[in-house]
Amino acid sequence: MNSYHIVLVILLSTCVALSIQDELKVSVYYESLCPDSVRFIKEQLTPTYKSLKSIFTADLIPYGKAIQNQENGKWVFQCQHGARECYGNKMQACALQQDVGDEKKIAFVDCVMRQNDPSQPASGGKCASNVGLAWESIRACTNSAAGDDILAAMGDRTHAVEPQISFVPTVIFNSTYDDDLQWKAIKNLRQVICNLQGNPDICG
Ligand SMILES: *[C@@H]1O[C@H](CO)[C@@H](O)[C@H](O)[C@H]1NC(C)=O
């Protein structure tokens, strides 16, 4: 082995060491006008994402306890807190669809959920400009049939959860619901993620 090969071997083993941290997907099923969802996003998801984003990926599903059906080829949604909530959910679903990276998407959701009324277009506009997202395309999506399809896809995912979602927000790790982790995550998401990931150094 010449020195070039030795360097290569060292580089390769470093890569293997760095990738030992397993992926963990944290899915949050929530809705725009639900006080428990607001609290969870503000107090749990956002701070945990800021400090631990290197050890998990956040997967946001703004739909909650809504229902949907198609009438004459058009989606009709009914949301737990009324039609305004459907608009708010769709606005977030459209923002989450943008190709801008998780950091901006989560910052947008956090900002919108902190507004007095997270379902208002004014809240979306303000937060898009704060975070640096294109409000015009989010707004256009929210008012379009494409936006309905995006929200309906969130609905399909939500309705596929087993057992059926009974509390909003519902937090699911790696796509399998666990009742114990759900209630722990609502109180201390950071601790659940650290435990599942084997308490790496970043957890302190
Ligand atoms: C989550 O899923 C990833 C990839 O499928 C796997 O590597 C990891 O060990 C899982 N983590 C937990 C805590 O189940």
Side-chain angles (χ1 to χ4, degrees):
M1 243 191 320
N2 63 28
S3 63
Y4 171 78
H5 285 121
I6 291 168
V7 168
L8 203 61
V9 166
I10 291 171
L11 279 177
L12 283 174
S13 26
T14 311
C15 292
V16 170
L18 288 175
S19 66
I20 276 175
Q21 187 65 64
D22 282 335
E23 283 168 31
L24 178 66
K25 184 169 79 167
V26 179
S27 304
V28 182
Y29 295 81
Y30 69 106
E31 57 197 15
S32 63
L33 291 180
C34 159
D36 290 319
S37 295
V38 170
R39 192 174 318 118
F40 180 78
I41 288 180
K42 268 163 53 172
E43 296 175 9
Q44 301 295 333
L45 182 71
T46 301
T48 304
Y49 184 77
K50 280 185 180 152
S51 62
L52 297 184
K53 58 175 172 280
S54 60
I55 63 167
F56 78 100
T57 54
D59 172 34
L60 300 180
I61 306 98
Y63 186 88
K65 285 190 177 171
I67 54 171
Q68 61 193 36
N69 49 69
Q70 271 186 311
E71 289 171 15
N72 305 319
K74 202 175 174 296
W75 281 112
V76 179
F77 301 96
Q78 277 174 276
C79 294
Q80 203 188 358
H81 303 93
R84 278 170 44 238
E85 179 165 73
C86 295
Y87 187 90
N89 290 346
K90 210 193 301 178
M91 187 166 81
Q92 293 192 35
C94 281
L96 290 164
Q97 198 65 16
Q98 302 233 316
D99 192 13
V100 291
D102 287 347
E103 230 163 304
K104 279 191 175 182
K105 292 184 204 177
I106 288 165
F108 178 79
V109 167
D110 178 70
C111 174
V112 170
M113 295 299 269
R114 282 171 193 269
Q115 304 304 306
N116 281 338
D117 185 343
S119 72
Q120 287 302 304
S123 302
K126 177 181 169 188
C127 291
S129 105
N130 278 359
V131 168
L133 289 188
W135 169 242
E136 192 40 48
S137 67
I138 297 172
R139 193 197 62 81
C141 168
T142 310
N143 294 321
S144 71
D148 286 346
D149 289 341
I150 291 166
L151 185 60
M154 298 287 179
D156 288 342
R157 284 195 58 193
T158 303
H159 294 132
V161 172
E162 282 177 27
Q164 220 185 318
I165 280 177
S166 60
F167 184 83
V168 178
T170 284
V171 188
I172 297 184
F173 299 89
N174 264 2
S175 308
T176 305
Y177 181 80
D178 181 309
D179 204 49
D180 183 43
L181 294 183
Q182 155 70 13
W183 302 114
K184 283 182 176 153
I186 297 287
K187 290 201 208 98
N188 193 339
L189 177 66
R190 181 188 170 87
Q191 195 172 70
V192 173
I193 291 173
C194 283
N195 284 344
L196 287 173
Q197 294 295 54
N199 292 303
D201 289 347
I202 195 173
C203 287

